[in-house]
PDB file of all heavy atoms in Angstrom:
ATOM      1  N   ASP A  50      10.993  16.540  14.293  1.00  0.00           N
ATOM      2  CA  ASP A  50      10.184  15.411  13.867  1.00  0.00           C
ATOM      3  C   ASP A  50       8.797  15.327  14.633  1.00  0.00           C
ATOM      4  O   ASP A  50       7.795  15.004  14.096  1.00  0.00           O
ATOM      5  CB  ASP A  50      11.025  14.088  13.808  1.00  0.00           C
ATOM      6  CG  ASP A  50      12.010  14.066  12.763  1.00  0.00           C
ATOM      7  OD1 ASP A  50      11.951  14.956  11.855  1.00  0.00           O
ATOM      8  OD2 ASP A  50      12.923  13.214  12.861  1.00  0.00           O
ATOM      9  N   LYS A  51       9.072  15.359  15.999  1.00  0.00           N
ATOM     10  CA  LYS A  51       7.899  15.149  16.823  1.00  0.00           C
ATOM     11  C   LYS A  51       6.807  16.241  16.623  1.00  0.00           C
ATOM     12  O   LYS A  51       5.620  15.962  16.426  1.00  0.00           O
ATOM     13  CB  LYS A  51       8.207  15.244  18.344  1.00  0.00           C
ATOM     14  CG  LYS A  51       7.148  14.904  19.229  1.00  0.00           C
ATOM     15  CD  LYS A  51       7.626  14.947  20.675  1.00  0.00           C
ATOM     16  CE  LYS A  51       6.389  14.686  21.579  1.00  0.00           C
ATOM     17  NZ  LYS A  51       6.802  14.637  23.046  1.00  0.00           N
ATOM     18  N   GLU A  52       7.318  17.493  16.394  1.00  0.00           N
ATOM     19  CA  GLU A  52       6.410  18.634  16.159  1.00  0.00           C
ATOM     20  C   GLU A  52       5.655  18.518  14.774  1.00  0.00           C
ATOM     21  O   GLU A  52       4.539  18.730  14.577  1.00  0.00           O
ATOM     22  CB  GLU A  52       7.097  19.916  16.228  1.00  0.00           C
ATOM     23  CG  GLU A  52       7.560  20.256  17.667  1.00  0.00           C
ATOM     24  CD  GLU A  52       8.596  21.468  17.734  1.00  0.00           C
ATOM     25  OE1 GLU A  52       9.237  21.699  16.638  1.00  0.00           O
ATOM     26  OE2 GLU A  52       8.650  22.096  18.725  1.00  0.00           O
ATOM     27  N   LEU A  53       6.471  17.942  13.769  1.00  0.00           N
ATOM     28  CA  LEU A  53       5.970  17.739  12.541  1.00  0.00           C
ATOM     29  C   LEU A  53       4.858  16.707  12.514  1.00  0.00           C
ATOM     30  O   LEU A  53       3.768  16.893  11.887  1.00  0.00           O
ATOM     31  CB  LEU A  53       7.009  17.345  11.466  1.00  0.00           C
ATOM     32  CG  LEU A  53       7.980  18.475  11.009  1.00  0.00           C
ATOM     33  CD1 LEU A  53       9.191  17.804  10.273  1.00  0.00           C
ATOM     34  CD2 LEU A  53       7.206  19.471  10.144  1.00  0.00           C
ATOM     35  N   GLY A  54       5.089  15.662  13.191  1.00  0.00           N
ATOM     36  CA  GLY A  54       4.092  14.515  13.302  1.00  0.00           C
ATOM     37  C   GLY A  54       2.802  15.049  14.022  1.00  0.00           C
ATOM     38  O   GLY A  54       1.726  14.779  13.569  1.00  0.00           O
ATOM     39  N   THR A  55       3.031  15.725  15.116  1.00  0.00           N
ATOM     40  CA  THR A  55       1.832  16.264  15.895  1.00  0.00           C
ATOM     41  C   THR A  55       1.113  17.267  15.097  1.00  0.00           C
ATOM     42  O   THR A  55      -0.124  17.200  14.993  1.00  0.00           O
ATOM     43  CB  THR A  55       2.344  16.798  17.220  1.00  0.00           C
ATOM     44  OG1 THR A  55       3.014  15.767  17.930  1.00  0.00           O
ATOM     45  CG2 THR A  55       1.203  17.274  18.016  1.00  0.00           C
ATOM     46  N   GLY A  56       1.769  18.216  14.408  1.00  0.00           N
ATOM     47  CA  GLY A  56       1.240  19.300  13.687  1.00  0.00           C
ATOM     48  C   GLY A  56       0.432  18.692  12.533  1.00  0.00           C
ATOM     49  O   GLY A  56      -0.672  19.204  12.166  1.00  0.00           O
ATOM     50  N   PHE A  57       0.985  17.683  11.850  1.00  0.00           N
ATOM     51  CA  PHE A  57       0.409  17.147  10.630  1.00  0.00           C
ATOM     52  C   PHE A  57      -0.867  16.404  11.070  1.00  0.00           C
ATOM     53  O   PHE A  57      -1.935  16.510  10.381  1.00  0.00           O
ATOM     54  CB  PHE A  57       1.317  16.282   9.859  1.00  0.00           C
ATOM     55  CG  PHE A  57       0.831  15.807   8.582  1.00  0.00           C
ATOM     56  CD1 PHE A  57       0.785  16.738   7.446  1.00  0.00           C
ATOM     57  CD2 PHE A  57       0.290  14.641   8.362  1.00  0.00           C
ATOM     58  CE1 PHE A  57       0.264  16.397   6.261  1.00  0.00           C
ATOM     59  CE2 PHE A  57      -0.229  14.225   7.095  1.00  0.00           C
ATOM     60  CZ  PHE A  57      -0.210  15.124   6.118  1.00  0.00           C
ATOM     61  N   TYR A  58      -0.729  15.696  12.154  1.00  0.00           N
ATOM     62  CA  TYR A  58      -1.982  14.898  12.570  1.00  0.00           C
ATOM     63  C   TYR A  58      -3.077  15.910  12.933  1.00  0.00           C
ATOM     64  O   TYR A  58      -4.305  15.606  12.741  1.00  0.00           O
ATOM     65  CB  TYR A  58      -1.706  14.059  13.715  1.00  0.00           C
ATOM     66  CG  TYR A  58      -2.875  13.094  14.105  1.00  0.00           C
ATOM     67  CD1 TYR A  58      -3.188  12.003  13.200  1.00  0.00           C
ATOM     68  CD2 TYR A  58      -3.733  13.461  15.117  1.00  0.00           C
ATOM     69  CE1 TYR A  58      -4.262  11.266  13.491  1.00  0.00           C
ATOM     70  CE2 TYR A  58      -4.875  12.657  15.334  1.00  0.00           C
ATOM     71  CZ  TYR A  58      -5.172  11.562  14.503  1.00  0.00           C
ATOM     72  OH  TYR A  58      -6.280  10.869  14.796  1.00  0.00           O
ATOM     73  N   GLU A  59      -2.741  17.020  13.588  1.00  0.00           N
ATOM     74  CA  GLU A  59      -3.823  18.035  13.943  1.00  0.00           C
ATOM     75  C   GLU A  59      -4.456  18.589  12.695  1.00  0.00           C
ATOM     76  O   GLU A  59      -5.670  18.809  12.621  1.00  0.00           O
ATOM     77  CB  GLU A  59      -3.121  19.175  14.768  1.00  0.00           C
ATOM     78  CG  GLU A  59      -2.838  18.695  16.207  1.00  0.00           C
ATOM     79  CD  GLU A  59      -2.050  19.817  16.963  1.00  0.00           C
ATOM     80  OE1 GLU A  59      -1.765  20.826  16.347  1.00  0.00           O
ATOM     81  OE2 GLU A  59      -1.780  19.562  18.104  1.00  0.00           O
ATOM     82  N   MET A  60      -3.599  18.721  11.616  1.00  0.00           N
ATOM     83  CA  MET A  60      -4.184  19.219  10.415  1.00  0.00           C
ATOM     84  C   MET A  60      -5.110  18.115   9.824  1.00  0.00           C
ATOM     85  O   MET A  60      -6.276  18.597   9.261  1.00  0.00           O
ATOM     86  CB  MET A  60      -3.053  19.386   9.367  1.00  0.00           C
ATOM     87  CG  MET A  60      -3.384  20.054   8.026  1.00  0.00           C
ATOM     88  SD  MET A  60      -1.850  20.415   7.155  1.00  0.00           S
ATOM     89  CE  MET A  60      -2.087  19.360   5.737  1.00  0.00           C
ATOM     90  N   TRP A  61      -4.776  16.901   9.908  1.00  0.00           N
ATOM     91  CA  TRP A  61      -5.656  15.795   9.505  1.00  0.00           C
ATOM     92  C   TRP A  61      -6.946  15.810  10.314  1.00  0.00           C
ATOM     93  O   TRP A  61      -8.060  15.632   9.768  1.00  0.00           O
ATOM     94  CB  TRP A  61      -4.880  14.500   9.573  1.00  0.00           C
ATOM     95  CG  TRP A  61      -5.871  13.244   9.560  1.00  0.00           C
ATOM     96  CD1 TRP A  61      -6.118  12.428  10.615  1.00  0.00           C
ATOM     97  CD2 TRP A  61      -6.538  12.737   8.456  1.00  0.00           C
ATOM     98  NE1 TRP A  61      -6.987  11.410  10.175  1.00  0.00           N
ATOM     99  CE2 TRP A  61      -7.166  11.603   8.888  1.00  0.00           C
ATOM    100  CE3 TRP A  61      -6.606  13.010   7.070  1.00  0.00           C
ATOM    101  CZ2 TRP A  61      -7.964  10.797   8.007  1.00  0.00           C
ATOM    102  CZ3 TRP A  61      -7.346  12.306   6.204  1.00  0.00           C
ATOM    103  CH2 TRP A  61      -8.020  11.212   6.690  1.00  0.00           C
ATOM    104  N   ASP A  62      -6.782  16.003  11.566  1.00  0.00           N
ATOM    105  CA  ASP A  62      -7.970  15.884  12.497  1.00  0.00           C
ATOM    106  C   ASP A  62      -8.969  17.100  12.218  1.00  0.00           C
ATOM    107  O   ASP A  62     -10.167  16.834  12.439  1.00  0.00           O
ATOM    108  CB  ASP A  62      -7.383  15.953  13.931  1.00  0.00           C
ATOM    109  CG  ASP A  62      -8.357  15.460  14.958  1.00  0.00           C
ATOM    110  OD1 ASP A  62      -9.073  14.487  14.620  1.00  0.00           O
ATOM    111  OD2 ASP A  62      -8.378  15.926  16.145  1.00  0.00           O
ATOM    112  N   LYS A  63      -8.420  18.205  11.824  1.00  0.00           N
ATOM    113  CA  LYS A  63      -9.336  19.364  11.555  1.00  0.00           C
ATOM    114  C   LYS A  63      -9.817  19.404  10.150  1.00  0.00           C
ATOM    115  O   LYS A  63     -10.524  20.329   9.630  1.00  0.00           O
ATOM    116  CB  LYS A  63      -8.495  20.662  11.861  1.00  0.00           C
ATOM    117  CG  LYS A  63      -8.230  20.795  13.314  1.00  0.00           C
ATOM    118  CD  LYS A  63      -7.372  22.000  13.562  1.00  0.00           C
ATOM    119  CE  LYS A  63      -6.976  22.093  15.021  1.00  0.00           C
ATOM    120  NZ  LYS A  63      -6.118  23.251  15.251  1.00  0.00           N
ATOM    121  N   LEU A  64      -9.516  18.418   9.300  1.00  0.00           N
ATOM    122  CA  LEU A  64      -9.778  18.445   7.893  1.00  0.00           C
ATOM    123  C   LEU A  64     -11.349  18.384   7.665  1.00  0.00           C
ATOM    124  O   LEU A  64     -11.978  17.612   8.340  1.00  0.00           O
ATOM    125  CB  LEU A  64      -9.032  17.219   7.239  1.00  0.00           C
ATOM    126  CG  LEU A  64      -9.047  17.113   5.746  1.00  0.00           C
ATOM    127  CD1 LEU A  64      -8.189  18.280   5.214  1.00  0.00           C
ATOM    128  CD2 LEU A  64      -8.459  15.780   5.261  1.00  0.00           C
ATOM    129  N   ASP A  65     -11.821  19.131   6.723  1.00  0.00           N
ATOM    130  CA  ASP A  65     -13.152  19.230   6.365  1.00  0.00           C
ATOM    131  C   ASP A  65     -13.660  17.812   5.886  1.00  0.00           C
ATOM    132  O   ASP A  65     -12.918  17.101   5.141  1.00  0.00           O
ATOM    133  CB  ASP A  65     -13.360  20.237   5.331  1.00  0.00           C
ATOM    134  CG  ASP A  65     -14.753  20.420   4.803  1.00  0.00           C
ATOM    135  OD1 ASP A  65     -15.597  20.445   5.797  1.00  0.00           O
ATOM    136  OD2 ASP A  65     -15.051  20.530   3.629  1.00  0.00           O
ATOM    137  N   ASP A  66     -14.914  17.424   6.300  1.00  0.00           N
ATOM    138  CA  ASP A  66     -15.421  16.156   6.020  1.00  0.00           C
ATOM    139  C   ASP A  66     -15.532  15.904   4.369  1.00  0.00           C
ATOM    140  O   ASP A  66     -15.228  14.784   3.916  1.00  0.00           O
ATOM    141  CB  ASP A  66     -16.758  15.923   6.537  1.00  0.00           C
ATOM    142  CG  ASP A  66     -16.721  15.726   7.930  1.00  0.00           C
ATOM    143  OD1 ASP A  66     -15.651  15.345   8.521  1.00  0.00           O
ATOM    144  OD2 ASP A  66     -17.687  15.848   8.744  1.00  0.00           O
ATOM    145  N   ALA A  67     -15.759  16.882   3.645  1.00  0.00           N
ATOM    146  CA  ALA A  67     -15.869  16.878   2.267  1.00  0.00           C
ATOM    147  C   ALA A  67     -14.535  16.491   1.624  1.00  0.00           C
ATOM    148  O   ALA A  67     -14.415  15.649   0.660  1.00  0.00           O
ATOM    149  CB  ALA A  67     -16.392  18.119   1.639  1.00  0.00           C
ATOM    150  N   VAL A  68     -13.495  17.121   2.091  1.00  0.00           N
ATOM    151  CA  VAL A  68     -12.132  16.865   1.667  1.00  0.00           C
ATOM    152  C   VAL A  68     -11.677  15.397   2.040  1.00  0.00           C
ATOM    153  O   VAL A  68     -11.178  14.680   1.233  1.00  0.00           O
ATOM    154  CB  VAL A  68     -11.119  17.923   2.046  1.00  0.00           C
ATOM    155  CG1 VAL A  68      -9.701  17.553   1.635  1.00  0.00           C
ATOM    156  CG2 VAL A  68     -11.518  19.273   1.719  1.00  0.00           C
TER     157      VAL A  68
END
Side-chain angles (χ1 to χ4, degrees):
D50 288 346
K51 183 178 179 180
E52 294 168 334
L53 285 169
T55 302
F57 190 75
Y58 187 79
E59 287 172 0
M60 188 172 116
W61 164 253
D62 204 33
K63 295 175 184 175
L64 194 65
D65 182 42
D66 287 341
V68 176

